[in-house]
Amino acid sequence: MEETVAPSGGAAIEVRGLWKIFGPRAERVLRGPDARLAPAALRERTGCVAAVRDVGFSVRPGEVFVVMGLSGSGKSTLVRCLTRLVEPTAGEISIAGQDVRAASSAQLRDLRRHRVSMVFQHFGLLPHRGVLDNVAYGLEVQGVPRARRHRRAGEILSLVGLDGFADARPDQLSGGMQQRVGLARALACDPEVLLFDEPFSALDPLIRRDMQAEVIRLHREVGKTMVFITHDLSEALKLGERVAIMRAGAIVQLGTAEELVGAPVDDYVAEFVRDVPRGEVLSLRWICRRPREGERLDGPALPAGTVIRDAVPTAMRSAQPIIVVEDGRPIGVIDRLDILAAMTGVPAREPRAEKNHA
């Protein structure tokens, strides 16, 4: 049977107008004015909960895209809708050009087995099987011969740092090691897309940090498209090339870490990012300005993408403003006071690059 394909414009994942309403007569609620009610009012009037509200976004091939929000914001429901583990009420979902909502049962099984893998908070390992067989399980479901799937599973175990544990049982491993097994199982099928639903939230802080570093390392090595769900802002900013912040089922802001910290769209996002060290997130591109009249321009130069914190030593060594350079040309300057103002929370200026682009 032929796949139903939707144009995706080169995106690995494309989502448009996605809704998930739980409760009686969800379709009727969606078609009427009640769908736009606040969550409490909608529940009181209709008995329904709009877990995902008119969500749209694109994920580029090879991108780490993070969706974050507090408990009940709809982020886990959203990621489950992508492969129809939860059936959406309305909207469009395309993964690598395949129209997921139009997919037949057979096409959906193929999508889940071959093209998309998911890593959950609860590892879901098979307790009666050794680590190697747990990693090879997805390949077994695909019908891959035993010798070939074990060879592939062994390669992936090495990739995630679990050499020597092939014969161990899950209950003999620490939480972090078990999560590595879950990650290896997802990678073994060589999927195009990896979906992570709060995979590290049950881990101790130090192990969690190690696993975050592991995801970053693996992304550098295998380059998979990743959608990562978390309620932890520091985790989101550490992992995500772009981050979508959800509230009450809707995305309230989507952008890079720099955009979220430097220009929150409302008080809700501003409160989220309030304690983020600005000097560790914002770049010189964000805070540079035009030279003032009479200001000398013979100081040192730094790339526009330099994080503010990393510019401090240069600023301390020079009494002259730093020239900020992008694509071989100066786009502005900064001095010690600019750096101090940015690091102590003075509202950021609009980035010069965006102004020039506009």
Side-chain angles (χ1 to χ4, degrees):
M1 188 182 229
E2 238 180 32
E3 283 186 348
T4 306
V5 175
S8 65
I13 301 173
E14 189 85 40
V15 176
R16 300 188 189 95
L18 186 65
W19 286 81
K20 177 57 188 177
I21 299 178
F22 292 101
R25 301 181 300 279
E27 295 279 358
R28 184 186 302 178
V29 169
L30 180 61
R31 291 193 297 269
D34 290 345
R36 301 292 176 177
L37 291 173
L42 177 67
R43 192 163 53 247
E44 182 178 348
R45 179 173 293 189
T46 68
C48 292
V49 174
V52 177
R53 292 172 172 256
D54 197 18
V55 164
F57 59 88
S58 297
V59 181
R60 298 183 292 265
E63 181 180 14
V64 180
F65 184 88
V66 175
V67 181
M68 73 150 298
L70 302 178
S71 179
S73 63
K75 57 191 185 299
S76 289
T77 301
L78 170 60
V79 76
R80 283 167 166 76
C81 283
L82 296 182
T83 57
R84 288 172 54 191
L85 292 175
V86 169
E87 194 66 42
T89 306
E92 302 174 27
I93 304 167
S94 172
I95 297 180
Q98 181 177 1
D99 185 340
V100 176
R101 296 218 52 213
S104 65
S105 296
Q107 290 172 334
L108 205 52
R109 284 195 299 273
D110 181 75
L111 178 77
R112 294 170 182 168
R113 288 178 180 177
H114 296 277
R115 307 180 75 181
V116 180
S117 288
M118 195 157 186
V119 182
F120 295 94
Q121 175 182 346
H122 303 291
F123 316 129
L125 303 181
L126 303 171
H128 60 289
R129 292 192 175 201
V131 165
L132 189 71
D133 280 323
N134 266 282
V135 174
Y137 180 71
L139 296 171
E140 181 180 342
V141 171
Q142 292 179 8
V144 175
R146 178 184 175 89
R148 188 147 63 90
R149 68 176 183 257
H150 277 189
R151 184 168 60 251
R152 170 67 175 168
E155 293 169 355
I156 299 300
L157 280 176
S158 180
L159 183 67
V160 300
L162 286 177
D163 279 322
F165 290 91
D167 297 325
R169 296 288 174 135
D171 62 2
Q172 296 174 308
L173 304 178
S174 68
M177 294 173 74
Q178 289 182 42
Q179 193 56 284
R180 286 175 187 263
V181 176
L183 182 55
R185 182 176 57 191
L187 287 167
C189 299
D190 195 24
E192 298 170 44
V193 175
L194 284 165
L195 307 177
F196 296 84
D197 187 13
E198 300 207 59
F200 309 145
S201 61
L203 301 177
D204 293 336
L206 291 179
I207 299 174
R208 181 172 186 157
R209 186 176 62 191
D210 289 344
M211 288 304 301
Q212 291 165 358
E214 186 70 11
V215 167
I216 293 170
R217 181 185 69 83
L218 286 171
H219 183 257
R220 281 200 304 264
E221 294 192 18
V222 301
K224 300 293 183 185
T225 304
M226 298 180 178
V227 177
F228 199 99
I229 306 300
T230 182
H231 65 269
D232 184 276
L233 179 64
S234 62
E235 184 168 77
L237 298 180
K238 182 176 182 179
L239 296 178
E241 296 172 49
R242 290 184 300 149
V243 177
I245 296 182
M246 291 191 73
R247 181 186 189 188
I251 292 177
V252 293
Q253 185 168 0
L254 193 165
T256 63
E258 193 170 15
E259 289 165 345
L260 297 178
V261 172
V265 295
D266 59 18
D267 291 343
Y268 182 75
V269 178
E271 185 64 23
F272 251 118
V273 303
R274 183 182 63 180
D275 296 328
V276 175
R278 297 166 63 85
E280 297 180 12
V281 176
L282 299 181
S283 69
L284 303 188
R285 180 187 300 109
W286 194 265
I287 67 166
C288 69
R289 56 175 173 78
R290 292 184 178 87
R292 300 187 182 98
E293 187 175 349
E295 200 165 31
R296 291 176 58 182
L297 298 178
D298 55 357
L302 286 176
T306 304
V307 175
I308 294 172
R309 176 197 58 199
D310 295 338
V312 171
T314 302
M316 295 301 294
R317 288 193 299 267
S318 174
Q320 307 305 323
I322 295 171
I323 301 167
V324 181
V325 178
E326 188 164 48
D327 297 328
R329 63 182 182 86
I331 63 169
V333 298
I334 59 162
D335 59 23
R336 296 173 184 174
L337 289 179
D338 297 320
I339 290 176
L340 181 61
M343 295 183 74
T344 54
V346 173
R349 301 177 178 92
E350 183 185 359
R352 281 288 299 276
E354 293 296 325
K355 284 193 268 189
N356 291 341
H357 179 70

